[in-house]
Amino acid sequence: MNNPYGYINGRVRMMRTALVESRSMDEAAGTVNYQEFLRQISETPLREDLGDATAQGAGLGQLDEALSRNSLKAIQQLRSIATGQPAQEIEALLLRYDLQNVKTLVRGVQNGRSADDIVAGLLPAGTIPWSVLQGAAQSADVPSLAQTLSVAGGKLGSILRAAVSGGASTLLDLEVALDQGYYRAVLAGVRGTNVRRYFTREIDVRNILIARQLRGGAPNARYFIPGGRDVTEADFLRIAGGDNSVSAPDLQAVTEAPDLGSAEAVARRLLDEASRNVAMADALGPGVALDFLRRKEQEIARLRLIGRAKFYGLSKDELQKELEGA
Amino acid sequence: MKNTAFNAAKYLPALALMTFATSAFAQDAATTAATTDSTTAGLKAIGAGLALGLGAVGTGLAQGPIGAAAAGVVAERPEKFGQMAIWFFIPETLVIFGFVGFFLLK
């Protein structure tokens, strides 16, 4: 009878009202230079976290720090209000940041980037402690990174280590192994039907994107992520072989997009819509938190893009094109 | 025609029973008057109790989730207290209707 999400979702809905409104976002995109952009976002709820970003001579580094700080604050707040079963479900939702961070670490270490560069691309969110991520960024190679993360890197650290031990060496092998482990953990961690439905849709989209990435080579079923709803292993192999038809009409746009970049943009829009739907359908479940996290992520990504565009003096059209893909 | 006769025949036993019962009750009217009064009073009391009790249960069921959500909203935005209080008190109408029923039956 008593639903703990009543209280949590009441708070999350109020936190959602503190996100930068689309009108303010448009105004920020329409500013003439970087200083004007900073002045514009100082009038939004972000002002408390801007700190050094608005100081004389501050650059994109300070802006990134400010945005990360704001994002982390929202996630910590979300984590602090959930207890019991909802806390476990919200932790499962936060695994997506672990996934992003571990992928960033793998890419950075494999490409031989410096530790500072890798740390700059990490999100101070998720369930892996920040000190562990910083330590892992200094790894010399992927096996040592997997070793470091397996000690205190939570579920994904163990998954990465298992993948490396199993012989995964290419970036795609490692990323797909991480995706498979992540979706397995998430589907085991969330109970709500609506949120599970959202994740099955996300798995379908991810499978299509992987299949498109595999086009031109030999299709292999080991890259398939189980747990989806509309895209079966046979569909996956068919799409990887060059066929564009899928059983779900809304997924058709992802398969038919002209290139991988636009397919990813279409996929993002599809998932944004799915997360909005789940927030409406799951009023007394974790769907509201899921939608909030996605909106927050999008807000920060857009502000980063606008900040960069203003800093480097990109034209309005170029910025608009970038924002459409974000 | 045959069907109508059949339908009427179906209800004959019940009609006969009611006729006999009515005449039997009429004979015992004087003796059962006191019993009927007390039965009516008892049924009224049960009705009044149900009206108030079910109204209160309905209010409780509605106010539970509203209260939880309102507490969440007020924790984030204390200035929303008044607005949330209005939403919280709306289900009180159910118990008020119950009270009305209770007094009417009393």
Side-chain angles (χ1 to χ4, degrees):
Chain A
M1 190 73 76
N2 181 30
N3 187 314
Y5 277 104
Y7 175 76
I8 295 168
N9 288 350
R11 290 193 69 165
V12 174
R13 283 201 179 89
M14 283 299 107
M15 285 163 69
R16 203 168 66 186
T17 62
L19 293 174
V20 177
E21 292 169 17
S22 58
R23 185 179 51 81
S24 304
M25 196 69 85
D26 291 343
E27 281 173 9
T31 50
V32 288
N33 55 33
Y34 186 63
Q35 293 309 318
E36 185 66 18
F37 162 74
L38 287 177
R39 192 197 60 72
Q40 173 60 37
I41 62 166
S42 303
E43 291 169 9
T44 67
L46 279 165
R47 66 180 167 276
E48 291 168 18
D49 299 301
L50 283 178
D52 291 343
T54 51
Q56 192 74 31
L60 288 175
Q62 283 77 14
L63 176 69
D64 285 348
E65 271 174 35
L67 294 175
S68 296
R69 200 163 39 238
N70 179 271
S71 174
L72 178 63
K73 207 167 83 176
I75 290 163
Q76 280 176 338
Q77 193 178 352
L78 179 63
R79 198 181 263 170
S80 72
I81 59 178
T83 52
Q85 174 63 26
Q88 287 174 19
E89 290 193 306
I90 284 172
E91 287 291 309
L93 298 182
L94 294 177
L95 275 178
R96 76 181 300 111
Y97 299 105
D98 286 352
L99 179 72
Q100 281 179 28
N101 283 337
V102 174
K103 280 185 179 178
T104 306
L105 284 166
V106 170
R107 283 188 205 125
V109 169
Q110 205 168 44
N111 295 333
R113 288 173 68 192
S114 73
D116 286 344
D117 275 358
I118 299 172
V119 171
L122 297 173
L123 295 162
T127 63
I128 305 175
W130 184 241
S131 56
V132 174
L133 291 174
Q134 282 176 313
Q138 289 170 355
S139 307
D141 50 22
V142 176
S144 62
L145 169 72
Q147 181 62 35
T148 311
L149 286 177
S150 69
V151 180
K155 287 176 184 163
L156 290 177
S158 317
I159 291 162
L160 181 66
R161 193 180 176 194
V164 171
S165 310
S169 56
T170 66
L171 194 58
L172 185 65
D173 280 337
L174 291 165
E175 286 194 346
V176 171
L178 285 168
D179 280 337
Q180 286 167 340
Y182 162 72
Y183 286 115
R184 208 168 36 240
V186 166
L187 289 176
V190 292
R191 285 184 182 176
T193 318
N194 291 302
V195 178
R196 289 180 73 84
R197 194 174 295 144
Y198 168 81
F199 278 108
T200 54
R201 173 43 49 100
E202 201 174 282
I203 293 170
D204 284 341
V205 167
R206 187 81 189 104
N207 274 327
I208 293 177
L209 291 174
I210 295 170
R212 287 200 52 154
Q213 216 173 328
L214 291 173
R215 277 181 183 173
N220 195 327
R222 77 190 154 102
Y223 294 117
F224 175 71
I225 303 169
R229 191 170 36 148
D230 294 316
V231 180
T232 62
E233 196 175 303
D235 293 333
F236 174 80
L237 292 172
R238 204 165 35 73
I239 297 164
D243 189 352
N244 278 341
S245 60
V246 275
S247 57
D250 48 346
L251 291 174
Q252 196 73 45
V254 185
T255 58
E256 285 174 353
D259 54 71
L260 199 57
S262 40
E264 280 176 0
V266 173
R268 260 196 297 275
R269 276 199 291 278
L270 201 68
L271 293 176
D272 286 343
E273 198 186 315
S275 85
R276 283 195 182 103
N277 288 344
V278 78
M280 281 189 278
D282 199 29
L284 290 176
V288 178
L290 171 85
D291 181 49
F292 170 74
L293 288 171
R294 202 170 166 84
R295 281 175 194 246
K296 187 76 203 168
E297 206 176 303
Q298 210 173 31
E299 175 201 54
I300 299 295
R302 281 174 173 263
L303 285 169
R304 271 185 214 268
L305 262 177
I306 299 171
R308 270 163 180 70
K310 297 298 160 191
F311 192 80
Y312 294 115
L314 247 68
S315 72
K316 272 185 183 176
D317 291 343
E318 283 172 313
L319 174 60
Q320 195 55 42
K321 203 175 160 189
E322 291 291 326
L323 286 174
E324 276 168 16
Chain B
M1 188 66 184
K2 196 178 174 184
N3 275 344
T4 317
F6 176 73
N7 282 339
K10 258 196 329 187
Y11 298 110
L12 271 177
L15 282 169
L17 187 68
M18 279 172 69
T19 313
F20 286 124
T22 312
S23 60
F25 281 134
Q27 283 168 9
D28 293 336
T31 52
T32 56
T35 317
T36 311
D37 283 351
S38 63
T39 307
T40 309
L43 287 172
K44 270 186 174 181
I46 291 170
L50 282 174
L52 185 59
L54 292 178
V57 168
T59 300
L61 287 175
Q63 278 187 336
I66 297 175
V73 169
V74 173
E76 284 296 317
R77 298 273 186 89
E79 70 271 16
K80 293 265 182 194
F81 178 79
Q83 202 179 339
M84 287 301 114
I86 292 170
W87 288 111
F88 182 72
F89 291 134
I90 284 174
E92 293 285 349
T93 50
L94 295 175
V95 81
I96 292 167
F97 291 148
F99 255 121
V100 172
F102 176 82
F103 282 113
L104 284 175
L105 287 165
K106 207 66 172 127

